Amino acid sequence: MEIVILVSLLSLYCDFTDAECLVISPARLVVKYGDPASSNCSSDTPVEMGWEATQGGTGLTDKEVKFLNWRVDRCYTEGGQCQKQLDITVYKLPDSVSISYRKYPDPMVEKHQYQLQCLVQNIAPIERLRVTFYKVNTTGEQTELDTQHKSKDNIKTPENGAYTLDFTPSRDDDGAQLWCSAMLDLGPEGPQPPPVMESDRLNINVLYKPQITMSPGCFSMSITEGDTLSLNCSANGNPAPSYDWLLPQDAPNATEERSVVTITNMAKSHSGEYTCIARNHLGNSTCTVNVEVTVDYLPIIAGLAAAAVVILLVVSCFIYSSYYKHTRMGHYQLKDMLPRRHKNKQVVHHNGMDQSFM
């Protein structure tokens, strides 16, 4: 038996004692649209029973019975002295769930507000519908933005539901995805877990002005004279930024390549402020680095020390040479160079010449 009634409210009428009154089991039905369902009407004592229903009703039975199976809405006994109404909720899942912009942004810019719309088509009962908006960023982190529902009592036919959300993106939302889900919460008698239908995901592209990401940031630094200076002023921006550099006037050896500036053979006169400007059509960002060029005196001191050592060696050699000549060559006498005669020497006169014999 297919159910075509969507909602029937519970009512209870009983003129008998509780022991004699009718019992409907189950007392409440939650049935998907188009699916079969059944219920029993029973009594403690045999009575003539019947079902009143917009679809599938039956008249009173010819015989007294203790129970009568189905034909939807209301079970009653003879004369209407005892009647109970079956609470039936017939639900229908949505034909589709979609997410879109109420007014398409061209393009989406950070800190501007936009309105998203989640459209749920042909669903019943709409008062049991819960719509949730979600966001997932580029790292996979999921965020629940909002959950909404509409109170529409006694709506028996399928309806379309439109749910809106004001959304203000940030630069971190660039590349993220948005979507919505429709959950039909029919209570404990309904399907578990509650049926959920999701929309397709909406990819968002967020434009934002540049933000310089120089590490360690805008700072002061020292560099030795003669070294090479290299500064990298990278920035995040959408669209990608262009770069300009403001340099001290006495920095002729600068080479600029997008976000990097390089200066070779730094001199004392190159000291000053080096300012980077990153810009796109949404704005700009600046960063200034204060550079001080210092002189390294260690090589000079080492050179002077080496020169002093050389001079000292030369002077030492000169002094030593002069002293050596004075003491070894300038004080000799001829008598000291002749051999001394022996004490016992004899002198012999021979042929008019003296001869000495040792």
Side-chain angles (χ1 to χ4, degrees):
M1 174 67 186
E2 290 191 354
I3 301 175
V4 294
I5 299 175
L6 292 183
V7 177
S8 181
L9 298 179
L10 173 66
S11 62
L12 174 64
Y13 306 96
C14 186
D15 293 332
F16 299 121
T17 63
D18 290 340
E20 296 172 326
C21 194
L22 299 175
V23 176
I24 295 179
S25 178
R28 181 172 183 262
L29 286 176
V30 177
V31 187
K32 185 177 180 181
Y33 179 74
D35 284 357
S38 64
S39 181
N40 286 322
C41 182
S42 62
S43 172
D44 291 338
T45 60
V47 293
E48 293 181 353
M49 296 183 189
W51 282 95
E52 285 185 359
T54 54
Q55 293 289 331
T58 62
L60 289 172
T61 57
D62 296 334
K63 297 180 180 180
E64 293 182 347
V65 293
K66 286 189 175 183
F67 65 91
L68 181 64
N69 184 263
W70 192 282
R71 292 294 187 239
V72 181
D73 268 350
R74 186 169 55 191
C75 174
Y76 63 96
T77 63
E78 182 180 6
Q81 293 175 318
C82 184
Q83 58 184 5
K84 282 189 176 181
Q85 186 165 328
L86 175 64
D87 180 9
I88 301 177
T89 299
V90 180
Y91 68 92
K92 181 184 180 304
L93 297 179
D95 293 341
S96 65
V97 178
S98 61
I99 189 172
S100 62
Y101 301 105
R102 287 291 298 272
K103 182 180 179 181
Y104 191 80
D106 189 21
M108 182 178 283
V109 180
E110 69 168 339
K111 299 181 180 179
H112 290 202
Q113 189 177 86
Y114 304 92
Q115 193 170 71
L116 302 171
Q117 176 176 271
C118 184
L119 181 61
V120 184
Q121 293 186 321
N122 205 24
I123 187 171
I126 197 168
E127 68 267 17
R128 296 298 188 95
L129 180 63
R130 300 290 184 272
V131 171
T132 304
F133 290 86
Y134 294 95
K135 178 185 72 174
V136 60
N137 59 22
T138 53
T139 63
E141 181 182 359
Q142 182 173 306
T143 304
E144 182 178 317
L145 301 177
D146 190 29
T147 298
Q148 304 175 15
H149 73 279
K150 295 181 178 180
S151 298
K152 291 187 177 181
D153 297 334
N154 299 322
I155 303 298
K156 297 183 179 182
T157 57
E159 285 195 348
N160 297 333
Y163 302 81
T164 60
L165 174 69
D166 291 332
F167 177 67
T168 303
S170 68
R171 64 180 56 226
D172 295 333
D173 293 326
D174 184 35
Q177 293 180 323
L178 301 172
W179 78 95
C180 63
S181 69
M183 181 179 71
L184 202 56
D185 187 2
L186 299 166
E189 295 86 0
Q192 299 297 324
V196 177
M197 188 171 182
E198 293 185 349
S199 69
D200 292 334
R201 300 200 174 191
L202 184 66
N203 296 311
I204 61 175
N205 179 32
V206 181
L207 303 186
Y208 52 92
K209 73 175 187 178
Q211 182 177 19
I212 292 176
T213 58
M214 179 184 291
S215 179
C218 304
F219 59 97
S220 298
M221 64 173 293
S222 297
I223 189 171
T224 304
E225 188 176 30
D227 288 350
T228 297
L229 174 68
S230 182
L231 298 175
N232 188 348
C233 174
S234 58
N236 291 329
N238 190 16
S242 60
Y243 298 89
D244 291 314
W245 284 91
L246 300 179
L247 310 178
Q249 294 182 354
D250 295 330
N253 300 327
T255 301
E256 298 179 31
E257 185 177 352
R258 287 182 58 80
S259 63
V260 179
V261 62
T262 303
I263 302 176
T264 59
N265 195 22
M266 289 289 288
K268 187 71 176 178
S269 59
H270 296 165
S271 298
E273 293 183 345
Y274 291 73
T275 300
C276 170
I277 305 174
R279 58 166 55 94
N280 59 21
H281 72 276
L282 296 174
N284 61 72
S285 178
T286 63
C287 184
T288 299
V289 179
N290 191 3
V291 177
E292 180 183 2
V293 181
T294 60
V295 178
D296 188 1
Y297 291 100
L298 183 60
I300 298 176
I301 295 174
L304 292 176
V309 170
V310 172
I311 293 173
L312 183 60
L313 289 175
V314 171
V315 171
S316 299
C317 290
F318 177 77
I319 293 174
Y320 178 79
S321 176
S322 298
Y323 174 78
Y324 180 80
K325 290 181 180 180
H326 177 73
T327 57
R328 297 298 182 182
M329 299 180 63
H331 298 283
Y332 289 102
Q333 296 182 6
L334 183 59
K335 65 178 182 178
D336 295 329
M337 299 300 295
L338 296 175
R340 295 180 181 181
R341 294 176 179 176
H342 197 274
K343 292 180 180 181
N344 301 320
K345 65 182 178 179
Q346 296 179 3
V347 177
V348 179
H349 297 279
H350 181 71
N351 295 328
M353 298 180 63
D354 292 337
Q355 292 183 356
S356 297
F357 297 91
M358 299 296 299

